[in-house]
Amino acid sequence: MGKPTGFKEFKRETATRRPVESRILDWNEVYLDIAEEKLKRQGARCMDCGIPFCHGPTGCPLGNIIPEWNDLIYKGRWHDAIEMLHKTNNFPEFTGRICPAPCEEACVLGINEKPVTIKSIEQNIIDHAFENGWVKPCPPATRTDKKVAVVGSGPAGLGCAAQLNKAGHLVTVFERADRVGGLLMHGIPNFKLEKHIVNRRVDLMKAEGINFVTGANVGFNIKVEDLHRDFDAIVLCGGSTKARDIDVPGRDLNGIHLAMTYLPMQNKINFGDHIPEREFISAKGKHVIILGGGDTGADCLGTAIRQGCKSVQQFELLPKPPAGRVQDMPWPYWPMIYRVSSAHEEAAAPIGHDVRDFAINTQSFSGVNGVVKKLHGIRLEWEMQGSRPVKMKEIPGSEFTLDCDLCLLALGFISPEPEGPISQLGVKLDQRGNVLVDQNYMSSIPGVFAAGDMRRGQSLVVWAISEGRQAARGVDEFLMGRSDLPKMKLF
């Protein structure tokens, strides 16, 4: 714990966002640095709570040892704090920026006060460590003669590769895109995660002996039989990339795109890549409507604003969530409540109200010369069980039509893509189309493992890292008969 009376003396303070009017002019991260003394005070708020739910089963999926490093920050022991943080988290510079912080929702102080600023402290521990040169390549002292292929370089693949490399195995990560990082590099906008931060960690992993191969689409230009021949184990860490779509009249009009077709294009432009103007999807000067109220929808929102859209609205099928916990959202579980991201704040600033609208169903699109121009929708009434929507019906007479030059579908993801390694390896799938594995993350094919969204379905980056770490332990046990890698029970 930090200061015994700290939670009584200090109020919760988080990093300040840059002014809206300036941050929408660039693609840099939206948060300003937070003073070290302020961080110490925030660490002091960590209570002697007895059972720290923040790193229990309802809190951090990585099992981060949060009270210990809160105490270390309060005492100014930054080097010890990064050592403690790296015990459970390979990439705190990622989670400290883009994790929604289930740890904070599980904080005991949060029962009747605002919780400890765990996420902000985590990010600053790792940033401070990099600034002081404490994060250095640590290749294993000895090597085994085992080789492992990791398919996918997103957070699950990187976490798995890092742990397997620590165990001394020779790891090769295959990435079908032209850059390493998966969702971290191509899907998440720069204003949430600047890409030099991803590259910095990947460079460290390369220096530790991990081999990365880009442009390697396993199952297509890389044959799965070659991986079986050349490697002792294979770990499937691709994402849940089969997007959910809508089937309504006019869906085939030009100007209606999946979010993960739209977002990577702007990231490529930010990399300095060239995309022909006729292929580039831009919101500049357009009336934009985003379907889907989750994180991906918010990423589309922030991107469209920075591209200079004429107007933007975001529609969610479900009803507006409550402002705070209600009876069927008890602490310490994650509450489905109304939240305002930096992108929502940016969209609301010039018009004075939220651009989100809830309980909306899209009925059709219409256009001119094959290009979308209008969205036709209707409002919904939901039958509720507590805070859980169970049945919807359309409200007669609530139909509306809106200008729409660009519609972005951010409706979530159904499953991994079945084409490629899944079908060619013949692994068994669960009812949702995800790879079915045992308690050691091994699939129905001996020596073939799976982790992350490909195993559990669409989820958080922190869950993907955790899954990759646990799969690495399963691989290590399979190869060596035992493992010293840490284990958490996540099933």
Side-chain angles (χ1 to χ4, degrees):
M1 61 177 294
K3 188 177 183 181
T5 56
F7 69 96
K8 294 182 177 181
E9 298 175 32
F10 307 121
K11 295 296 182 183
R12 175 182 168 96
E13 294 180 271
T14 57
T16 303
R17 292 170 179 167
R18 293 191 289 136
V20 169
E21 59 271 16
S22 61
R23 75 181 190 236
I24 63 172
L25 301 177
D26 61 46
W27 296 92
N28 301 328
E29 287 186 8
V30 303
Y31 288 96
L32 297 169
D33 292 337
I34 186 168
E36 185 172 330
E37 281 304 310
K38 184 180 289 188
L39 284 167
K40 287 183 177 181
R41 290 196 298 270
Q42 294 308 297
R45 296 184 74 236
C46 190
M47 306 168 67
D48 185 9
C49 60
I51 300 176
F53 282 79
C54 57
H55 68 88
T58 58
C60 180
L62 286 162
N64 280 340
I65 313 168
I66 294 164
E68 280 79 353
W69 41 259
N70 281 338
D71 176 59
L72 291 168
I73 290 307
Y74 169 62
K75 295 175 179 174
R77 294 167 56 186
W78 288 85
H79 193 280
D80 291 335
I82 187 57
E83 292 293 322
M84 185 66 68
L85 181 50
H86 267 153
K87 286 180 183 293
T88 53
N89 189 352
N90 303 82
F91 316 120
E93 67 271 34
F94 304 158
T95 53
R97 285 173 165 82
I98 58 177
C99 181
C103 54
E104 294 189 10
E105 295 293 353
C107 174
V108 172
L109 183 57
I111 295 174
N112 57 3
E113 259 285 358
K114 291 186 177 181
V116 177
T117 56
I118 299 167
K119 178 178 174 179
S120 180
I121 293 172
E122 177 181 10
Q123 178 189 331
N124 279 273
I125 291 172
I126 183 62
D127 288 353
H128 192 90
F130 271 114
E131 289 166 7
N132 284 275
W134 298 336
V135 186
K136 299 177 181 178
C138 295
T142 59
R143 287 284 183 189
T144 68
D145 60 352
K146 305 297 184 180
K147 296 192 293 182
V148 183
V150 175
V151 180
S153 70
L158 293 178
C160 184
Q163 292 299 101
L164 287 169
N165 189 64
K166 284 182 180 180
H169 306 306
L170 294 168
V171 182
T172 300
V173 179
F174 295 90
E175 169 55 54
R176 67 180 177 181
D178 58 350
R179 290 176 174 87
V180 174
L183 173 79
L184 301 168
M185 182 62 73
H186 299 96
I188 297 173
N190 280 29
F191 55 81
K192 287 176 66 175
L193 178 65
E194 293 183 13
K195 304 314 168 194
H196 69 88
I197 293 170
V198 182
N199 288 329
R200 179 178 63 185
R201 180 61 70 170
V202 171
D203 289 343
L204 273 166
M205 295 174 71
K206 289 177 180 177
E208 291 174 337
I210 298 172
N211 182 38
F212 291 92
V213 182
T214 55
N217 195 355
V218 173
F220 297 92
N221 63 344
I222 301 290
K223 303 298 182 184
V224 292
E225 51 264 32
D226 292 343
L227 296 189
H228 264 310
R229 181 193 64 222
D230 297 336
F231 294 89
D232 299 292
I234 301 170
V235 193
L236 303 178
C237 293
S240 181
T241 50
K242 188 175 179 181
R244 183 174 287 107
D245 210 326
I246 55 173
D247 183 14
V248 298
R251 168 62 182 90
D252 58 344
L253 290 167
N254 290 328
I256 305 171
H257 303 279
L258 296 173
M260 281 304 165
T261 303
Y262 170 68
L263 291 171
M265 286 192 176
Q266 183 60 56
N267 280 349
K268 283 182 172 291
I269 294 295
N270 291 340
F271 296 149
D273 294 354
H274 173 69
I275 298 177
E277 186 176 348
R278 66 182 181 276
E279 298 176 14
F280 182 61
I281 304 169
S282 175
K284 185 175 182 180
K286 295 178 180 177
H287 296 290
V288 180
I289 297 178
I290 300 162
L291 302 185
D295 287 343
T296 304
D299 291 347
C300 291
L301 181 60
T303 301
I305 290 167
R306 283 163 177 77
Q307 289 178 341
C309 62
K310 191 172 185 178
S311 69
V312 62
Q313 287 185 276
Q314 185 178 11
F315 291 154
E316 169 58 56
L317 184 72
L318 298 174
K320 185 176 180 178
R325 290 186 186 272
V326 293
Q327 189 172 5
D328 58 355
M329 297 180 193
W331 175 89
Y333 296 100
W334 176 262
M336 300 300 292
I337 60 175
Y338 180 79
R339 292 178 169 86
V340 179
S341 74
S342 62
H344 298 136
E345 181 184 62
E346 292 158 6
I351 57 177
H353 62 82
D354 196 349
V355 299
R356 286 176 287 180
D357 205 346
F358 296 86
I360 299 291
N361 194 24
T362 300
Q363 293 182 306
S364 64
F365 299 95
S366 60
V368 177
N369 297 325
V371 179
V372 68
K373 291 298 177 183
K374 301 286 184 180
L375 178 144
H376 308 276
I378 190 168
R379 295 192 174 275
L380 302 172
E381 182 180 340
W382 281 92
E383 179 184 324
M384 307 291 288
Q385 287 184 358
S387 65
R388 187 168 66 91
V390 292
K391 187 178 181 180
M392 69 179 188
K393 65 178 181 180
E394 295 181 346
I395 301 175
S398 67
E399 296 87 351
F400 63 88
T401 298
L402 289 174
D403 290 337
C404 178
D405 304 310
L406 174 64
C407 184
L408 302 171
L409 307 180
L411 304 171
F413 300 87
I414 300 170
S415 68
E417 297 166 35
E419 303 83 10
I422 285 181
S423 59
Q424 292 181 24
L425 286 166
V427 294
K428 290 183 179 179
L429 305 178
D430 64 18
Q431 292 180 339
R432 298 178 298 163
N434 301 319
V435 179
L436 188 66
V437 301
D438 64 15
Q439 62 182 3
N440 292 318
Y441 288 75
M442 188 158 69
S443 73
S444 56
I445 306 298
V448 177
F449 298 75
D453 289 4
M454 187 173 274
R455 185 203 74 84
R456 66 177 282 120
Q458 178 190 3
S459 191
L460 305 175
V461 165
V462 66
W463 267 110
I465 298 170
S466 179
E467 289 251 319
R469 287 172 59 91
Q470 298 312 306
R473 180 183 169 92
V475 174
D476 193 30
E477 286 184 354
F478 171 76
L479 295 176
M480 308 303 291
R482 59 179 298 276
S483 180
D484 292 326
L485 294 174
K487 183 176 183 179
M488 285 184 66
K489 187 174 181 181
L490 299 175
F491 278 83

